[in-house]
Amino acid sequence: MFITFEGPDGSGKSTIIKKVYEKLINDGFDIVLTREPGGTPIAEKIRDIILDNSNVALDARTEALLYAASRRQHLVEKIRPALKEGKIVLCDRFLDSSLAYQGGGRNLGVQNVLNINLFATENTYPDLTLFFDIDPELGLKRVSQDKKRVADRLDNENENFHEKVYSTFKEIVNSNSQRIITIDASKSIEEVTECAYKTIKEKLNGLH
């Protein structure tokens, strides 16, 4: 089963995915934890280019294509082999992030970004996606208060960009209700972790 964690910056999903991973490992599940962009050595190099604050000249379409390229490498090198072995893959961000950030935030159009990603992934969608819903203002406040976090090129975008990302995420969630489950990310890390864990456990138990 291929499960993705999505949400705007500051939603806490990167912290929660690690906690959920640990809980599922303790339950005896065979799980691979990974992230995007990145997840494999080649894909991580592409990540470095995308998020590097010095790359201010990076064109929006180039950015979208780099995400798709990184995703392709990640899929063929790590995600697909793990799924073939019968493992559960938990991935921090996937296709929906590109649709929201580049399709919405960069005004490239969701359909345009979807098209290049369906080419890159050969029409691969997650089996389940958890959307960590948080108001962009609150999310960005969390990011700025996180002393351990180094702001990357996308964190540093203006509020208008993050508002567009959020509203596009909401549209994606509404049109993919059979795949995406919304989690209220404004609650405490413990509450959100428990909610995400229970949601995944229900889905996994439904498979047996």
Side-chain angles (χ1 to χ4, degrees), residues 20-25 28-33 82 86-90 200 204:
V20 170
Y21 167 74
E22 283 161 14
K23 279 175 171 280
L24 292 169
I25 288 281
F29 289 103
D30 194 356
I31 299 195
V32 170
L33 175 65
K87 293 176 180 171
I88 297 158
V89 176
L90 292 186
I200 290 171
L204 292 174

Side-chain angles (χ1 to χ4, degrees), residues 148-166:
K148 286 182 283 190
R149 180 170 176 148
V150 179
D152 61 42
R153 213 172 52 81
L154 274 83
D155 288 334
N156 290 327
E157 285 292 340
N158 61 31
E159 279 179 29
N160 182 40
F161 172 83
H162 289 285
E163 288 286 351
K164 282 191 287 189
V165 168
Y166 179 70

Side-chain angles (χ1 to χ4, degrees), residues 7-12 93 101 134 136 139-140 143 149 152 154-155 162:
D9 292 292
S11 62
R93 295 200 184 281
Y101 281 84
I134 191 165
L140 291 173
V143 170
R149 180 170 176 148
D152 61 42
L154 274 83
D155 288 334
H162 289 285

